[in-house]
Amino acid sequence: MNYPETLHYLYSRLPMFSSHGKGAIKPGLQNTIKFCQKLENPHIKFKSVHVGGTNGKGSTSHMLAAILQEAGYKTGLYTSPHLRDFRERIRINGKMIAEMEVIQFIEAHQQYIEELEPSFFEVTVALAFEYFAANQVDIAIIEVGLGGRLDSTNVIHPELSVISNIGYDHMNILGNSLNEIASEKAGIIKHNVPVVVSQRQDEVEDIFINKALETNSALTFASDEWDIFRSQRQNNSSGLLKLEIRQKTTIDNPVFSFDSIELDLTGSYQLKNLAGVLSAVKHLRLMGYQINDQDVLSALRQVKKLTGLMGRWHSLNYNPLIICDTGHNEDGIREVMKNINLTPHKDLHMVIGMVKDKEIFKILSLLPQKAFYYFCQPTIPRAMPAIDLQLEAGKLGLTGAFYPTVQSAFEQAKKNAGNNDLIFIGGSTFVVAEII
């Protein structure tokens, strides 16, 4: 098979959550354990950091990878889903896995894949672990796919676990309460492995405290360690988010010599993610990783360049300003709205599409009535039909036209927008993937 044929095999032969939703998930870790055994357990041949959470786990993973890269470590990075290219999921020092590596892995193991009948995600995880082991990475940042306890990535025994935050998402799989969701996320906490939770949330903090006691894991709530806020000396022309850092008294000794940083991920929600990153770096240093202050400062200025991260409050154009963001659940959309409100603009144009298994009405209720809407649907089976989305939005006073494709909605928004307007594209990762 060539590369397009290999991708076609992966997408058509193996059930994908992004396309088919809950039905694509193979419950439990058995398939991943069996596949890893077939590969002689590559996941025990490299060190790792495991990153979970509802929102922010992707940004957190990329920031940590950038910092370790900048510190001179050969750093693997496994994330999902991809936006443009399947190979975005698997990187070493920011460079995507080669097409030939994907082809050779599938060809070598196609017969076993047919016997095992794993999911698309299970195969992708096995491929990533094999690739990182074969290339002898110093450390790999492994992002949880969905949940944690039963996620395929949870076969690793990491140096450190990081959980970004807990919010409502994938309730049809993870549970309908924050406690149930947090319990699934806490499933990545391993015996004697320290864990950083980026935000102390009153509703679920006991879940993490009790799990950490059970596993004898040192627990840090990063929000107890850092105050992070936008600098009053913001330089908008730099394209960087300038942040002030204040270490709280919960840490005995100064961890960093700097009291401000510049970050190329400009969404306001990155303040919460950054706290988790700083506490994670503190732990890695205690383990002996040589990460100096300059590595941290330099890496955070160029996360996108170092790791290839896209789609997080991502500016695509100016005059008019066009921004996309992959936020797709209640908490994610709340953060999107904060950023829209902080962004100067005349009229607001919203190119919005969603998938059917989200809390559609709750998410739509967070969107502004004073905007022009372009309802669309990404080209995946889970997509909510654009006309249905328009009808649901209309019940909340959100008015606009529906379009058969993301691209047609986007083109119409560009035609209608003036130079001082803002075009926002989002509602689903898969909408952003078709534009970016």
Side-chain angles (χ1 to χ4, degrees):
M1 292 186 288
N2 59 26
Y3 184 63
E5 289 168 343
T6 302
L7 286 186
H8 178 72
Y9 173 81
L10 281 169
Y11 293 147
S12 61
R13 175 68 182 82
L14 307 176
M16 285 182 67
F17 176 78
S18 60
S19 297
H20 302 292
K22 185 177 180 179
I25 295 174
K26 304 278 186 174
L29 304 178
Q30 287 307 307
N31 277 352
T32 305
I33 291 168
K34 289 176 182 177
F35 209 150
C36 284
Q37 288 172 341
K38 175 78 171 175
L39 300 172
E40 299 181 354
N41 293 317
H43 59 297
I44 68 173
K45 298 175 184 176
F46 57 86
K47 294 178 179 179
S48 59
V49 175
H50 206 186
V51 183
T54 302
N55 294 301
K57 62 183 184 289
S59 297
T60 297
S61 296
H62 283 80
M63 283 191 269
L64 285 172
I67 289 167
L68 285 159
Q69 262 176 253
E70 197 70 356
Y73 291 97
K74 188 174 187 180
T75 306
L77 176 61
Y78 175 75
T79 59
S80 61
H82 63 272
L83 289 176
R84 289 193 302 209
D85 188 328
F86 167 80
R87 298 178 302 135
E88 293 167 26
R89 295 167 179 254
I90 305 169
R91 299 175 184 265
I92 294 176
N93 285 355
K95 185 178 180 182
M96 293 189 293
I97 185 172
E99 292 181 357
M100 187 53 66
E101 295 275 0
V102 180
I103 295 167
Q104 289 173 347
F105 180 86
I106 298 302
E107 286 184 341
H109 303 292
Q110 186 172 352
Q111 183 176 340
Y112 186 69
I113 290 169
E114 300 289 341
E115 294 171 9
L116 186 64
E117 297 186 337
S119 68
F120 172 90
F121 190 77
E122 288 166 336
V123 170
T124 306
V125 166
L127 167 59
F129 291 170
E130 173 78 355
Y131 183 63
F132 295 153
N135 284 274
Q136 298 180 313
V137 297
D138 296 318
I139 190 166
I141 310 299
I142 308 295
E143 181 196 5
V144 170
L146 192 156
R149 182 175 64 92
L150 299 177
D151 187 75
S152 297
T153 63
N154 205 30
V155 298
I156 63 174
H157 194 87
E159 301 272 276
L160 175 69
S161 303
V162 181
I163 298 172
S164 57
N165 85 326
I166 303 301
Y168 288 105
D169 201 9
H170 303 298
M171 286 88 82
N172 60 327
I173 300 166
L174 302 180
N176 290 312
S177 72
L178 285 183
N179 276 351
E180 288 176 299
I181 294 168
S183 294
E184 292 298 317
K185 306 289 185 185
I188 69 169
I189 301 173
K190 304 294 196 305
H191 280 279
N192 300 317
V193 174
V195 55
V196 170
V197 178
S198 297
Q199 296 174 250
R200 182 189 285 272
Q201 297 169 258
D202 293 342
E203 312 97 304
V204 296
E205 63 177 313
D206 285 348
I207 298 290
F208 298 113
I209 291 168
N210 293 333
K211 181 67 174 181
L213 287 171
E214 176 191 325
T215 57
N216 194 38
S217 302
L219 170 63
T220 300
F221 287 104
S223 56
D224 291 350
E225 295 197 323
W226 313 100
D227 278 324
I228 302 176
F229 47 92
R230 284 173 174 263
S231 172
Q232 297 301 310
R233 304 187 301 276
Q234 201 69 233
N235 179 7
N236 293 326
S237 63
S238 71
L240 300 170
L241 179 63
K242 190 173 178 65
L243 300 171
E244 302 293 332
I245 313 290
R246 297 288 181 270
Q247 182 174 308
K248 294 185 179 180
T249 54
T250 49
I251 312 176
D252 293 334
N253 300 307
V255 176
F256 301 108
S257 61
F258 54 81
D259 59 9
S260 67
I261 63 110
E262 290 182 317
L263 181 62
D264 70 340
L265 309 180
T266 56
S268 61
Y269 46 81
Q270 300 299 355
L271 280 67
K272 299 172 184 176
N273 297 331
L274 182 59
V277 169
L278 294 178
S279 290
V281 170
K282 182 195 77 171
H283 276 283
L284 290 170
R285 283 177 165 181
L286 291 172
M287 294 173 196
Y289 286 86
Q290 300 299 305
I291 304 169
N292 64 43
D293 287 1
Q294 191 54 46
D295 297 329
V296 177
L297 292 171
S298 176
L300 293 176
R301 287 177 59 89
Q302 49 179 338
V303 176
K304 290 187 283 190
K305 177 183 176 183
L306 291 172
T307 68
L309 178 63
M310 299 181 290
R312 273 62 167 193
W313 199 248
H314 189 139
S315 297
L316 300 174
N317 190 64
Y318 301 90
N319 302 319
L321 180 59
I322 302 174
I323 293 176
C324 63
D325 192 278
T326 54
H328 57 270
N329 51 40
E330 285 184 67
D331 285 348
I333 296 298
R334 282 193 185 94
E335 294 296 338
V336 162
M337 288 313 306
K338 283 183 192 175
N339 283 287
I340 286 175
N341 292 333
L342 286 168
T343 304
H345 61 272
K346 184 173 180 285
D347 290 326
L348 176 60
H349 303 259
M350 301 282 285
V351 178
I352 296 290
M354 295 184 190
V355 293
K356 289 179 284 191
D357 51 15
K358 297 293 180 184
E359 294 283 295
I360 301 292
F361 198 77
K362 286 183 179 178
I363 292 171
L364 288 172
S365 69
L366 300 172
L367 301 180
Q369 291 192 358
K370 192 178 178 182
F372 300 97
Y373 282 89
Y374 308 78
F375 300 105
C376 59
Q377 61 195 75
T379 52
I380 59 169
R382 283 170 65 210
M384 185 173 195
I387 188 169
D388 293 346
L389 186 60
Q390 181 201 37
L391 291 170
E392 285 299 306
K395 296 173 185 176
L396 291 162
L398 310 181
T399 58
F402 70 90
Y403 299 83
T405 65
V406 174
Q407 196 62 44
S408 59
F410 181 42
E411 290 302 323
Q412 190 59 50
K414 287 194 289 186
K415 286 180 183 175
N416 293 349
N419 280 347
N420 297 318
D421 291 353
L422 169 60
I423 299 174
F424 174 79
I425 305 151
S428 166
T429 300
F430 307 105
V431 170
V432 173
E434 294 189 26
I435 292 296
I436 208 163

